[in-house]
Amino acid sequence: MPLSEHEQRMLEQMERALYAEDPKFASALEGSGLRTYTRRRVYQAVAGFLVGIALLMAGMVAKQVWLSVVGFLVMLGCAVLAVTGWRKAPKPGEQPAGAPQARRQARPKRSMMDRIEQRWQRRRDEQGQ
């Protein structure tokens, strides 16, 4: 069940107050959640990437093309996991992942056509002046 806007604001205020009052404790609590999980996921992806390299090389030495292809696919998949995990990892002192989503939802979404029309209008206005 998602939190209402008021509840999300209250939670953000409580988090900021906790961080201002005792930053060491707040960072210790923060580090035990998503950041640790994503860091572990990135490490696992790096280890998988190394296994993929080993499979690729073993396939080349054994002249087994399918083993090399499997190794390449493992490398590719692990690289994607590492990059997405690295991007999702919150920085120390940063708001949790749920907070920016609430701000995005509060902002009215414009369609692609609206944005294109606004750009077109801006260009026409700039050329007319």
Side-chain angles (χ1 to χ4, degrees), residues 35-48:
R35 189 173 45 178
T36 303
Y37 169 74
T38 53
R39 186 180 304 142
R40 188 177 332 127
R41 182 175 165 193
V42 168
Y43 290 150
Q44 289 172 349
V46 169

Side-chain angles (χ1 to χ4, degrees), residues 15 18-32 35 93:
E15 288 173 351
L18 175 64
Y19 199 76
E21 186 176 306
D22 194 357
K24 187 176 178 182
F25 178 67
S27 63
L29 286 178
E30 181 181 275
S32 64
R35 189 173 45 178

Side-chain angles (χ1 to χ4, degrees), residues 79-115:
V80 168
L81 284 176
V83 170
T84 57
W86 191 266
R87 286 183 183 169
K88 289 179 184 177
K91 308 294 183 271
E94 191 177 86
Q95 290 291 330
Q101 291 175 350
R103 284 187 222 122
R104 279 188 219 129
Q105 289 174 352
R107 185 177 64 186
K109 292 186 178 183
R110 300 184 312 188
S111 71
M112 184 178 72
M113 288 303 294
D114 290 339
R115 291 190 307 257

Side-chain angles (χ1 to χ4, degrees), residues 48-70:
F49 188 84
L50 295 175
V51 168
I53 289 175
L55 286 172
L56 181 76
M57 297 306 247
M60 291 174 69
V61 169
K63 296 185 180 176
Q64 298 291 327
V65 176
W66 65 272
L67 189 59
S68 295
V69 170
V70 168

